[in-house]
Amino acid sequence: MQGAFAEHVRALEASGARTRLVRTESDLDGLDGLVLPGGESTTMTMLMERVGLLAPLRHAIEKGLPVLATCAGMIVLAREVTDAMAGQEGMGLLDIKVRRNGYGRQVDSFEAGLQIDGIGDRDFPGVFIRAPLVESIGDARVIASYEGHPVAVKQGHITALCFHPELSGDLRLHREFVRMAANGSAR
Ligand code: GLN
């Protein structure tokens, strides 16, 4: 609907996947996995609601569609959003409480080397852009942290990141997601 989808398409195709942009309910048919990109969570949710995509998307994720959610995508899925826009609510599919723009506006963007479980020992270049801050976490598992806060979490078939792997030039997270979605291992 909005945000950094073109960069994800490039990273997914470079990781061996075929891609389709999801703009309507029927675009969800037959998908092995879905990326919810970064961008602006309020705009995304509003547009999805307007075109009738929000409810079918929720249903597909509840049924086990593997999801890679980055930044705004993480906010869209969250159980609780603080500093939300009026009327903005997470979909409640990911058991985290997240603060929009929680890293502070004075440091709008930064890069940090991250150790992420399951993708090898080499640091992953984490690109943070007006990133959400994970304030607390329920059922989800932390797979990477930065300065004491989770920045990558996994809950069943959902992987959610505070940063933008599609802008990092490092394909390890996309490759892992494509592998997982292709195996249907989480379903
Ligand atoms: N601050 C944005 C939001 O609240 C997220 C920023 C991003 O996706 N890079 O949706």
Side-chain angles (χ1 to χ4, degrees), residues 2 6 26 57 65 73 75 95 122 133 143 146 158 167 171 181-182:
Q2 189 267 340
S26 60
L57 180 69
L65 178 66
I75 300 171
D95 197 4
R122 189 161 46 86
L133 182 77
I143 57 169
Y146 176 69
I158 298 174
L167 301 179
L171 289 175

Side-chain angles (χ1 to χ4, degrees), residues 2-185:
Q2 189 267 340
F5 52 83
E7 293 82 356
H8 276 292
V9 166
R10 245 174 273 137
L12 289 167
E13 302 228 335
S15 304
R18 283 186 298 140
T19 60
R20 172 199 303 163
L21 296 176
V22 174
R23 293 186 166 121
T24 64
E25 176 175 359
S26 60
D27 295 330
L28 291 168
D29 288 350
L31 290 185
D32 292 319
L34 177 81
V35 171
L36 285 175
E40 182 46 60
S41 54
T42 46
T43 310
M44 272 177 208
T45 304
M46 188 191 75
L47 290 174
M48 287 195 287
E49 187 130 45
R50 192 178 294 171
V51 301
L53 187 56
L54 206 55
L57 180 69
R58 168 193 297 279
H59 186 64
I61 299 173
E62 278 169 349
K63 272 183 25 200
L65 178 66
V67 177
L68 177 65
T70 63
C71 210
M74 174 193 249
I75 300 171
V76 166
L77 293 182
R79 166 178 46 83
E80 192 178 340
V81 183
T82 44
D83 270 1
M85 301 275 275
Q88 179 182 19
E89 270 181 41
M91 291 174 83
L93 296 172
L94 177 62
D95 197 4
I96 60 170
K97 179 175 165 189
V98 81
R99 177 173 296 277
R100 285 185 68 228
N101 304 315
Y103 285 90
R105 290 182 184 279
Q106 73 282 15
V107 277
D108 265 349
S109 307
F110 60 96
E111 204 173 315
L114 306 172
Q115 275 293 315
I116 304 178
D117 285 358
I119 62 148
D121 288 342
R122 189 161 46 86
D123 268 11
F124 192 93
V127 178
F128 293 78
I129 304 169
R130 285 174 294 112
L133 182 77
V134 177
E135 294 188 317
S136 67
I137 179 159
D139 253 351
R141 179 166 64 89
V142 179
I143 57 169
S145 297
Y146 176 69
E147 292 187 338
H149 288 277
V151 292
V153 302
K154 235 180 154 114
Q155 184 179 326
H157 57 291
I158 298 174
T159 305
L161 315 169
C162 297
F163 52 94
H164 284 259
E166 77 286 5
L167 301 179
S168 68
D170 190 320
L171 289 175
R172 282 178 290 166
L173 283 167
H174 285 88
R175 284 205 190 110
E176 173 55 20
F177 180 65
V178 168
R179 191 196 59 76
M180 198 263 283
N183 286 342
S185 57

